[in-house]
Amino acid sequence: MGSTFSLLKLLAQRSLAQMLAYRLSAAFVIIFGTLFAVAEVVTLLVYYQFTERIAGWDFYSFLALMATCGFIQHLYQFLFVQSHEELMDKIIEGQLDYDLVRPVDSQLLCSIKNLDYPSLVNLVIPIGLIAYCWPHLNVSITMWAWGAYTGLVLCGVAFYYLLNQVFVSMAFWIERPQQLMGIPEYLFEFASRPRSVYPRLIQAVLSVGLPVLTATNLPVEVLQGGFNPMSLVTLAGSTVVLGMVARVQWLAGVRRYASAN
């Protein structure tokens, strides 16, 4: 455990040094992330000029949902996105050897090898939006509410990571898997809307079968004062199952991996 922590700390320091070496690129990531967030808020303001509720959601609840989705996506991007992009290339090019021989779990190392610090800066926007919306929602500001919301967001990040991990690991079997990498992002973009706006069949598929809607909607539903224990069970159970699938897939893929050397 100590050696693993030391190695991850070293990788985090290296990622920070890399960001400082490419300050302009980091600045563009922050600027465009801010512009996209502002555009989403402006779009929401336009919608609510003509109505007070959309599918039963008022402006502040919808804004909290949008911020929650941004929170999940930016936290995933900070921790995993650069490593996942690099991992796919290494699998295809047979350059994974050095990571596999290190005295640390290879899946963990390959998942969190490069941190994207600009995405960490972009977390300021969704955190600020949640703080702005909270007084207008149906729940008082308590430690339990903060803890429940934070725990559900982290569960959503874990689910999002595992979903991406499954698609990235398909590179062990598919020669050109880059087109598949966008599927988890599209699914979570789809889930940045209240589940009640979709037909019942889509709600069932994306709330139970592959619960991306639950991962984004459930934290906000807690802030609205409503909490369905079955939704929590569904999300937690699906995350565990997806974690097992990702692990089995990784072990099978490593056995199938062919080195360029």
Side-chain angles (χ1 to χ4, degrees), residues 97-112:
D97 308 35
Y98 189 56
D99 296 317
L100 295 178
V101 298
R102 291 192 180 186
V104 65
D105 183 82
S106 58
Q107 182 181 342
L108 173 64
L109 176 62
C110 292
S111 296
I112 202 167

Side-chain angles (χ1 to χ4, degrees), residues 30-31 69 79 94 100 105 150 179 229:
I30 295 170
I31 291 170
C69 291
L79 292 172
L100 295 178
D105 183 82
T150 303
Q179 291 81 358

Side-chain angles (χ1 to χ4, degrees), residues 25-213:
S25 298
F28 277 126
V29 171
I30 295 170
I31 291 170
F32 282 108
T34 302
L35 291 176
F36 289 144
V38 170
E40 288 183 339
V41 173
V42 171
T43 301
L44 202 60
L45 286 169
V46 172
Y47 290 160
Y48 277 93
Q49 280 186 335
F50 305 99
T51 183
E52 293 184 355
R53 290 184 175 271
I54 297 176
W57 288 57
D58 63 17
F59 171 75
Y60 295 104
S61 296
F62 208 131
L63 186 60
L65 174 60
M66 184 182 298
T68 300
C69 291
F71 201 162
I72 291 173
Q73 289 179 311
H74 286 312
L75 192 52
Y76 160 78
Q77 289 168 0
F78 164 61
L79 292 172
F80 305 113
V81 70
Q82 287 193 4
S83 300
H84 271 165
E85 292 173 354
E86 180 180 313
L87 173 59
M88 178 174 288
D89 293 336
K90 283 187 172 183
I91 293 173
I92 296 171
E93 297 170 5
Q95 301 292 332
L96 203 59
D97 308 35
Y98 189 56
D99 296 317
L100 295 178
V101 298
R102 291 192 180 186
V104 65
D105 183 82
S106 58
Q107 182 181 342
L108 173 64
L109 176 62
C110 292
S111 296
I112 202 167
K113 192 174 181 180
N114 295 298
L115 301 179
D116 184 30
Y117 284 98
S119 294
L120 185 63
V121 176
N122 285 337
L123 280 174
V124 172
I125 297 175
I127 292 174
L129 290 176
I130 288 294
Y132 169 72
C133 293
W134 197 299
H136 302 279
L137 301 175
N138 295 329
V139 65
S140 58
I141 301 177
T142 63
M143 291 299 295
W144 183 90
W146 276 114
Y149 177 80
T150 303
L152 289 170
V153 166
L154 292 177
C155 189
V157 173
F159 183 85
Y160 193 25
Y161 154 71
L162 291 168
L163 190 61
N164 277 278
Q165 179 69 26
V166 168
F167 279 93
V168 168
S169 296
M170 288 182 181
F172 286 114
W173 290 272
I174 301 175
E175 187 172 337
R176 297 181 182 273
Q178 288 85 351
Q179 291 81 358
L180 300 176
M181 275 292 292
I183 293 178
E185 183 178 354
Y186 295 146
L187 286 173
F188 266 77
E189 183 65 28
F190 196 74
S192 64
R193 305 293 180 265
R195 71 174 93 202
S196 52
V197 305
Y198 297 113
R200 292 187 179 276
L201 178 59
I202 294 179
Q203 287 187 43
V205 172
L206 296 183
S207 295
V208 180
L210 186 64
V212 290
L213 283 174

